[in-house]
Amino acid sequence: MKPHDVLMPSEGMDVVADLIAGRLPLHRLWLEPDPDAWLAQWAPALRAVASNGHQFPIDPAFMRRLPHLEIVASFGVGYEHIDAKWAGEHGIVVTHTPGVLDDEVADIAMALTLMAVRRLPQAERFLRAGEWPKSSFPLTASLGGRTMGILGLGRIGKAIALRAESFGLDIVYHGRHAQPGVPYRFYPSLAEMAKACDILMVAAPGGPETRRLVDAEVLRGLGPDGVLINIARGTLVDEQALIEALRTGAILAAGLDVYENEPNVPAELIALDNAVLLPHVGSASVKTRRAMAQCVVDNLVAWSEGKPPLTPVPETPWRGSWGID
């Protein structure tokens, strides 16, 4: 096994594996007849991991099995499936793919907003079912005059804000702290921001700290004309509380691209006519997914050449060469 061999623990998009294999020796653990036995034999020689999906947690137990691990290159912006804090404490750099998918996800965020407020999927189903000759589609709510509260004003949140402003929406935001130089009003309390807006856009990272941050209290704050849009992680929203809010009319509608237990979506949510549901396609264009895959490869190649990885996560800053051969 060569010094720069890369381990991919789980299957994902073919383009990721193909691009890595074009530059570095790649081992696909899921193809091994006995992955545990293979890993027990080869783990001491492995120093790089390519994480190709959230279905395989890169936790301390797994990283301990690779005693000479130096880098985990993850496909995607979110990396809550990786214990980055532990990795950083043990000299392992974790990289992700920020920037390359911001615009694509922001476009879907605004599309979901329009779809949910104006009931566009319902209108299309109405036409396809042959109902239009019988009657007009019911009038809908309007997007104009609304305030969008953005939970998580990072790169994607800012890209959404720019688009929302062009639609004439007022913008406010909530996060861990107020950001200098941002022209939008900051709310230190999510519950208070929910009361001040009627579109709540969820764009914050996942993980234990944000789990079910959008709960029944926040949804009540949005009110009966309120709309929830989630393009971040399903874990940020209390799914049962959302189902109840939609079912009872506590909020007007929701537009979701992510769910708590993907790809399993609760039947109660699917049955609701005021929920617009997409199968996690925020960044799912050929161009963007290839750019994400290339970012994974570029980080691994930089590491293999003893150079700083391009996009390390904050918990694992690059500390220089760790004796790479």
Side-chain angles (χ1 to χ4, degrees), residues 4-8 16 19-21 23-26 47-51 71-74 95 293-310 324:
H4 301 136
D5 285 28
V6 178
L7 174 68
M8 184 173 284
V16 183
L19 285 175
I20 295 173
R23 298 296 300 273
L24 296 166
L26 179 68
R47 295 193 295 178
V49 166
S51 175
I71 183 170
V72 177
S74 185
T95 66
Q294 189 62 55
C295 186
V296 173
V297 174
D298 291 344
N299 276 296
L300 288 168
V301 169
W303 160 81
S304 74
E305 296 174 350
K307 300 173 183 176
L310 306 180
I324 296 173

Side-chain angles (χ1 to χ4, degrees), residues 44-315:
L46 293 165
R47 295 193 295 178
V49 166
S51 175
N52 201 12
H54 291 256
Q55 69 271 27
F56 192 101
I58 310 297
D59 55 18
F62 176 75
M63 287 186 277
R64 284 192 189 99
R65 299 185 70 179
L66 308 175
H68 302 296
L69 181 62
E70 295 177 2
I71 183 170
V72 177
S74 185
F75 179 80
V77 174
Y79 54 94
E80 61 271 17
H81 62 297
I82 303 170
D83 193 328
K85 183 175 183 295
W86 189 93
E89 291 169 352
H90 291 79
I92 302 165
V93 67
V94 176
T95 66
H96 62 155
T97 62
V100 296
L101 62 134
D102 299 351
D103 288 334
E104 208 80 78
V105 175
D107 289 347
I108 290 294
M110 288 309 300
L112 270 174
T113 302
L114 286 165
M115 291 163 74
V117 173
R118 294 301 312 277
R119 293 176 55 81
L120 299 181
Q122 296 89 332
E124 187 195 28
R125 290 196 294 268
F126 179 88
L127 182 149
R128 288 181 181 276
E131 296 296 326
W132 193 13
K134 306 172 189 176
S135 62
S136 298
F137 186 74
L139 299 179
T140 70
S142 176
L143 188 64
R146 288 178 175 267
T147 296
M148 176 181 285
I150 300 179
L151 169 56
L153 197 68
R155 291 184 181 90
I156 293 174
K158 288 183 175 71
I160 294 169
L162 287 174
R163 286 159 174 75
E165 283 186 295
S166 72
F167 280 88
L169 301 178
D170 292 327
I171 307 296
V172 297
Y173 75 101
H174 168 75
R176 287 174 292 183
H177 50 74
Q179 299 185 30
V182 169
Y184 315 124
R185 179 175 176 178
F186 171 72
Y187 279 85
S189 164
L190 175 58
E192 290 302 312
M193 185 181 78
K195 295 175 184 176
C197 68
D198 43 25
I199 299 174
L200 176 57
M201 177 65 67
V202 182
E209 292 181 358
T210 57
R211 185 170 179 78
R212 296 183 179 173
L213 199 59
V214 179
D215 56 15
E217 178 188 3
V218 171
L219 293 169
R220 281 195 300 270
L222 268 179
D225 199 36
V227 177
L228 175 76
I229 308 294
N230 189 4
I231 47 77
R233 288 287 183 263
T235 54
L236 276 88
V237 176
D238 184 331
E239 212 158 65
Q240 288 305 312
L242 173 60
I243 289 168
E244 184 65 13
L246 290 166
R247 187 183 64 80
T248 62
I251 66 172
L252 178 69
L256 309 175
D257 188 40
V258 290
Y259 310 89
E260 276 198 273
N261 185 30
E262 297 179 9
N264 303 305
V265 180
E268 306 98 305
L269 192 54
I270 293 174
L272 291 167
D273 187 57
N274 54 347
V276 178
L277 310 175
L278 299 180
H280 203 152
V281 295
S283 63
S285 72
V286 173
K287 175 184 176 182
T288 295
R289 289 291 172 87
R290 186 172 182 86
M292 292 166 64
Q294 189 62 55
C295 186
V296 173
V297 174
D298 291 344
N299 276 296
L300 288 168
V301 169
W303 160 81
S304 74
E305 296 174 350
K307 300 173 183 176
L310 306 180
T311 54
V313 304
E315 296 92 334

